[in-house]
Amino acid sequence: MTVPLLLTGCSGGGGDTSDKQVSHDRAGGGSAPLPAPAAPSAAPEGAYDAAPEAAGKERADSFVPEPDLVSTFALDVDTASYSYARRTIDSGALPQPDTVRHEEFINSFSQDYPAPEDDGFSVTTDGARTADDRWSLMRVGLATRPESNEYGTQPRRPAALTFVVDVSGSMAEPGRLSLVREALHTAVDELRDDDALALVAFSDEARTVLPMTAVGGAEDRIHDAVEELQPTESTNLGAGVARGYDEAVDGHRKGATNRVVLLSDALANTGATDAETILDRIAAAREDYGITLFGVGVGSEYGDALMERLTNQGDGHTAYVSGTTEARKVFVEDLPRNVDLRARDAKAQVVFDADAVSDYRLIGYDNRRVADEDFRNDAVDGGEVGPGHTVTALYAVRLAEGASGSVATATVRWLDPDTRAPHEESSTVDAGALTGDLWGAAPPRLQLTALAAYFADALRGGSGAGTTPTPTPEPYADGKEGAGTTGAGYLPLPGAPTVDELAGHAEDLAAETEDPAVGDLAETVRQAVELTG
């Protein structure tokens, strides 16, 4: 039995897959829906309240609920949680568990999923068996076509960007407003002449520094406006976002990507300080004009939860920057995917075969779950995805004895950003794809996905350094009602590596992939292990 790493504080190859990919283009409304699962059995009161040491046997022997065979969630391309964790660990502390989100760790790394030929998604499925041989990890990989690839170049649409900049007193700390100004200068230099930019600053109140201005011919004026940004007083984030959306509506450009870019430490302390109140004030701008919100976090103290909720409700995503290298990645390397859109309201649904799967759990996406019956309800929000994005969903799956053939069908549904026409793409995974050993034998990017998930789990999963064996509870049960939370009742991922194994896997993958991002992960894992003493 392995000893799982437990730490807390105060985008991969398809590998050898024979998965059949099936396209269901919904623009014509002709595709039949996936079969609905049988209603799950109700768990008796207290069924999951057994003492941890008895939970495995009692759950397995006395009550095994029928699993919900359908998993549905909104796509998420956020990466801020991993970047902020790296910043925290590098400063000599472990991140707070509630700032660690598995999917953001997983989606922080590039994958080699095949790109689709059109503006939709490719769907790749594969997996491998964990060290706990009762359990496998199943990966569902989604990818959009980048701005240019082997199928040709498709330049992004013009962008109308309203930058909303936090200039409150907390932004005076080195590496906050100074970094934001540097990032803005970089962004301006990368924008095209046919793009437009507005600039709003906020502290205790908000003001428009620059109304929507075409970039071509105005570069010097825009750079001068950026240099004027200086820190003052308290943080009225609500006023800043509201003014930013007012400017975005006033400067709305038809046929362009209209987006608000919020740069802040998200430490709101004046005026409206919760996501619902702030975004209720600008709901019409989202609904009537399709303006989305991209949040860029900065600072050693960072309002992670508020920023994430803002962008989730604002139909956007988050990133976190702690230095010049990360700022350049966000505003240079990743600029097209951060300002353009390939898909609106994208959702994924995985339907498991009752004869092949006895239990499963979606790893992460805890606050992105969607009711199964709303998968094809296009009035229900999904996620917004840009060009060249990859999205990975990882499942812990326990196969039924003697399972063969199809295990699950994964489907992604999205709306065209311009026409709002719905489309779908699907792929199936067979039992044989989930039986090979994970470490050393599986494709490197699948191992990297697992490593990122295990590392996130370690940072969320309990106190101490994992010196006591912790058996995997049975049954695992899908986490729709909070299995991903920390504390009593927390369910660690099956087959968790030991401390030394986790660090060793990271070092091996860094050497094999020669990917600097994987090398950074290996160093972060090593630092985290050292912090546990």
Side-chain angles (χ1 to χ4, degrees):
M1 180 179 292
T2 60
V3 183
L5 169 65
L6 298 173
L7 308 168
T8 59
C10 354
S11 302
D16 183 15
T17 62
S18 57
D19 309 326
K20 181 181 179 182
Q21 200 165 92
V22 184
S23 176
H24 300 284
D25 189 326
R26 295 287 293 173
S31 178
L34 295 171
S41 303
E45 186 175 355
Y48 291 102
D49 295 335
E53 63 272 14
K57 176 174 171 47
E58 193 159 325
R59 290 179 186 175
D61 296 346
S62 63
F63 175 71
V64 179
E66 180 181 349
D68 176 357
L69 297 175
V70 180
S71 170
T72 309
F73 61 96
L75 300 196
D76 191 345
V77 295
D78 292 354
T79 60
S81 176
Y82 171 68
S83 298
Y84 184 48
R86 281 194 63 217
R87 161 72 177 263
T88 304
I89 291 168
D90 190 55
S91 68
L94 293 172
Q96 292 292 332
D98 60 3
T99 68
V100 176
R101 291 179 290 278
H102 295 81
E103 70 277 10
E104 298 188 28
F105 275 54
I106 291 169
N107 286 324
S108 292
F109 300 95
S110 62
Q111 302 286 357
D112 55 2
Y113 305 138
E117 296 184 25
D118 56 18
D119 286 341
F121 285 87
S122 66
V123 184
T124 301
T125 52
D126 62 2
R129 191 175 296 280
T130 72
D132 178 347
D133 61 11
R134 300 168 300 172
W135 290 89
S136 297
L137 295 180
M138 185 183 87
R139 184 176 60 159
V140 177
L142 310 172
T144 57
R145 181 175 55 80
E147 191 176 26
S148 63
N149 61 10
E150 65 268 33
Y151 304 113
T153 300
Q154 297 289 331
R156 66 171 175 83
R157 292 173 296 182
L161 306 178
T162 302
F163 288 93
V164 178
V165 181
D166 186 346
V167 294
S168 62
S170 62
M171 293 291 287
E173 175 189 295
R176 295 196 186 190
L177 187 55
S178 58
L179 177 60
V180 167
R181 283 197 300 265
E182 184 176 352
L184 285 172
H185 285 309
T186 299
V188 172
D189 291 338
E190 289 299 312
L191 293 174
R192 303 189 313 228
D193 287 350
D194 58 349
D195 294 327
L197 178 151
L199 186 60
V200 170
F202 69 92
S203 54
D204 57 330
E205 59 184 22
R207 64 185 178 92
T208 299
V209 178
L210 186 73
M212 193 65 71
T213 303
V215 172
E219 292 88 350
D220 290 344
R221 180 184 172 196
I222 297 172
H223 283 301
D224 289 344
V226 170
E227 277 303 304
E228 292 177 10
L229 299 173
Q230 297 296 328
T232 62
E233 302 180 24
S234 55
T235 310
N236 192 335
L237 182 59
V241 172
R243 173 62 70 90
Y245 271 85
D246 287 344
E247 290 295 331
V249 169
D250 288 345
H252 181 269
R253 300 176 68 191
K254 189 174 182 180
T257 298
N258 293 268
R259 174 159 288 195
V260 170
V261 183
L262 173 63
L263 300 105
S264 174
D265 58 15
L267 299 176
N269 55 28
T270 301
T273 59
D274 64 280
E276 289 80 2
T277 301
I278 293 171
L279 284 170
D280 280 348
R281 296 166 61 185
I282 47 82
R286 292 185 293 127
E287 296 168 2
D288 297 343
Y289 295 91
I291 298 169
T292 57
L293 178 62
F294 174 38
V296 181
V298 296
S300 57
E301 294 183 18
Y302 166 56
D304 167 79
L306 177 56
M307 183 70 89
E308 194 212 8
R309 296 190 71 185
L310 280 170
T311 55
N312 282 350
Q313 294 189 45
D315 293 340
H317 64 285
T318 63
Y320 176 87
V321 298
S322 62
T324 302
T325 300
E326 288 175 331
R328 184 168 182 80
K329 184 176 189 301
V330 168
F331 290 107
V332 178
E333 298 173 29
D334 294 343
L335 185 66
R337 73 182 68 177
N338 286 331
V339 304
D340 205 0
L341 285 178
R342 284 280 189 261
R344 286 189 183 272
D345 290 325
K347 309 182 192 94
Q349 185 170 82
V350 178
V351 179
F352 291 91
D353 189 306
D355 294 329
V357 174
S358 62
D359 211 351
Y360 78 93
R361 174 189 165 196
L362 172 61
I363 300 170
Y365 295 93
D366 298 326
N367 60 6
R368 304 292 283 165
R369 306 299 169 92
V370 174
D372 297 334
E373 61 270 21
D374 285 334
F375 178 58
R376 293 187 174 89
N377 181 353
D378 296 328
V380 173
D381 278 348
E384 275 55 47
V385 182
H389 264 134
T390 60
V391 182
T392 300
L394 194 65
Y395 287 85
V397 176
R398 188 168 63 180
L399 297 178
E401 186 175 354
S404 63
S406 175
V407 168
T409 298
T411 303
V412 58
R413 179 181 177 86
W414 72 96
L415 304 183
D416 182 276
D418 298 317
T419 67
R420 301 297 180 117
H423 304 271
E424 293 186 9
E425 190 80 18
S426 295
S427 180
T428 60
V429 59
D430 291 337
L434 305 183
T435 56
D437 290 337
L438 173 62
W439 302 114
R445 292 287 159 177
L446 174 57
Q447 294 184 55
L448 175 60
T449 299
L451 177 66
Y454 280 126
F455 185 39
D457 214 53
L459 294 171
R460 286 189 61 156
S463 60
T467 55
T468 303
T470 303
T472 301
E474 289 189 68
Y476 213 86
D478 177 46
K480 287 188 176 181
E481 300 301 328
T485 58
T486 56
Y490 176 80
L491 300 179
L493 297 185
T498 65
V499 170
D500 290 340
E501 287 171 343
L502 192 73
H505 292 317
E507 292 171 359
D508 291 345
L509 284 170
E512 182 174 2
T513 63
E514 298 183 343
D515 181 344
V518 184
D520 290 341
L521 172 61
E523 174 63 16
T524 301
V525 172
R526 185 192 63 76
Q527 289 176 311
V529 171
E530 290 178 355
L531 288 173
T532 68

